[in-house]
Amino acid sequence: MRIATTIFLTDQTITPLRLARELEQRGFSGLYLPEHTHIPVSRDTPYPAGGDLPPEYGRTLDPFVALAQAAAVTERLALGTGITLVAQHDPIGLAKQIATLDHLSGGRFTLGVGYGWNVEEAADHGVDWPARRDLVRDRLALMRALWADEPTAYEGEFGSVRASQAYPKPVQESRGPVNGPRTLLGGAAGPKLFTDIARYTDGWLPIGGRGLTESVPRLRTAWETEGRDPKDLRIVPYAVLPSAGKLAHYADLGIEEVVLQLPPAGEPEVLRALDAYAEFL
């Protein structure tokens, strides 16, 4: 099983450079970073985990800039977002960022996609909250038109692009309905999410990894219903606090990669966490 990590990198934590070097030297498989552009202080949206929103949410580094630094000082470390708030981006600009990072890293990028949870943050980006799922699907389709091998136009509900010269291209070849980098969709288990995963992504990024015994078979059914090859489905439990038993259970479910949560802290505390996780490598 590949053991990757995620962390809220901020202006007060270990740097992307130091963390990436340590991860690769120690044998971890990857680094995934979350995204929040800003956190409005006057908000009504509750924190999904309950309680007060941790301060690191409002201090998060831009994941693409931080991952570019990580790519520059590593050769094998996989790089990913967990997750990109696609609805909050201009899709033409985001397509260029993603393709450039994937190209410069030699195809090491995984695009984690999410619909978001913070209504106020999304509203400042002009997102119509009830339409955000359709907006994300539309923007992914537009980006994939730009990533296509030949100039391809796209006309969608929320945006369009003319057939264009758009380079660089992401490294990974097309597979099924998906082109561009490996794409994983986050979100809570349910039929709508599983249909979305099967129709336009490579798999699921379930936060915390709970309830997979019941959810994984349902996702596999949805996947095969859409005519996807069962061996191509990727399920990557995300932000996991590990134990040997938990990882063994994931392996029994056919899961080949897990993303462990690191503390949003300075270098000494993060390195201690990596030391503690060494037993799972």
Side-chain angles (χ1 to χ4, degrees), residues 144 173-183 197 199-202 228:
R144 286 170 175 165
E173 295 181 356
S174 298
R175 57 268 174 216
V178 182
N179 70 318
R182 184 176 75 152
T183 301
I197 289 170
R199 286 181 176 172
Y200 66 88
T201 77
D202 296 297
R228 305 290 297 273

Side-chain angles (χ1 to χ4, degrees), residues 225-249:
T225 297
E226 294 296 325
R228 305 290 297 273
D229 190 330
K231 67 178 176 57
D232 293 337
L233 175 60
R234 300 291 177 259
I235 300 171
V236 183
Y238 186 80
V240 170
L241 298 176
S243 68
K246 186 182 294 185
L247 298 187
H249 175 58

Side-chain angles (χ1 to χ4, degrees), residues 2 5 11 15 30 37 95 100-102 110 146 190-191 195 213 216-217 254 274:
R2 299 187 303 279
T5 61
D11 56 322
T15 67
T37 54
T100 300
L101 178 56
D102 196 54
T110 290
L146 291 168
T195 297
T213 301
V216 167
L274 293 180

Side-chain angles (χ1 to χ4, degrees), residues 39-47 51-53 117-118 120:
I39 300 293
V41 295
S42 56
R43 63 183 182 85
D44 298 319
T45 309
Y47 176 41
D52 294 333
L53 185 68
W117 63 268
N118 192 320
E120 291 76 28

Side-chain angles (χ1 to χ4, degrees), residues 119-265:
V119 178
E120 291 76 28
E121 177 184 358
D124 284 347
H125 287 278
V127 175
D128 176 23
W129 191 252
R132 70 192 186 285
R133 289 175 179 264
D134 293 334
L135 177 61
V136 168
R137 285 191 289 269
D138 193 67
R139 289 187 170 171
L140 275 175
L142 189 155
M143 291 194 293
R144 286 170 175 165
L146 291 168
W147 295 334
D149 292 335
E150 299 296 331
T152 302
Y154 177 76
E155 184 72 37
E157 180 181 358
F158 299 95
S160 62
V161 67
R162 297 171 175 83
S164 303
Q165 295 292 331
Y167 290 86
K169 302 295 184 184
V171 173
Q172 191 168 348
E173 295 181 356
S174 298
R175 57 268 174 216
V178 182
N179 70 318
R182 184 176 75 152
T183 301
L184 303 174
L185 183 59
K192 287 184 179 180
L193 183 82
F194 289 168
T195 297
D196 286 346
I197 289 170
R199 286 181 176 172
Y200 66 88
T201 77
D202 296 297
W204 187 24
L205 201 64
I207 295 177
R210 294 181 180 176
L212 294 182
T213 301
E214 296 78 22
S215 298
V216 167
R218 299 205 305 270
L219 174 55
R220 287 180 173 146
T221 297
W223 185 265
E224 294 177 34
T225 297
E226 294 296 325
R228 305 290 297 273
D229 190 330
K231 67 178 176 57
D232 293 337
L233 175 60
R234 300 291 177 259
I235 300 171
V236 183
Y238 186 80
V240 170
L241 298 176
S243 68
K246 186 182 294 185
L247 298 187
H249 175 58
Y250 293 161
D252 290 341
L253 292 172
I255 290 169
E256 298 175 345
E257 179 183 4
V258 63
V259 182
L260 307 186
Q261 181 70 61
L262 292 171

